[in-house]
Amino acid sequence: MTSEARIRELGNRHRSLDEIIRRETTHPSADSLRVRELKQQKLRLKEQITSLEARAH
């Protein structure tokens, strides 16, 4: 897999997590632990994307 394809894949997963987090936080009974875990996953993806982009340039 090329680094560009990997960046796209990670970006798609990042956007998916963003949508899941948005849906979770709109519920009055949102599980704060789950939201925190999702946000941590999203941050790790962003870090991977940034790292790959830096190596690609």
Side-chain angles (χ1 to χ4, degrees):
M1 176 181 295
T2 66
S3 60
E4 292 84 15
R6 180 74 175 141
I7 290 169
R8 275 194 308 277
E9 175 194 340
L10 293 173
N12 289 338
R13 289 172 48 196
H14 186 269
R15 282 185 292 283
S16 294
L17 278 173
D18 203 30
E19 178 61 26
I20 292 168
I21 291 167
R22 188 191 63 74
R23 281 195 314 254
E24 284 287 325
T25 56
T26 59
H27 292 286
S29 60
D31 182 354
S32 61
L33 179 59
R34 174 162 166 70
V35 171
R36 189 178 74 191
E37 289 171 352
L38 291 168
K39 286 182 177 182
Q40 287 174 341
Q41 288 177 25
K42 186 179 162 192
L43 179 59
R44 282 192 297 273
L45 286 173
K46 182 63 176 174
E47 290 170 346
Q48 288 177 339
I49 292 167
T50 302
S51 175
L52 286 171
E53 287 174 340
R55 282 190 249 149
H57 295 194

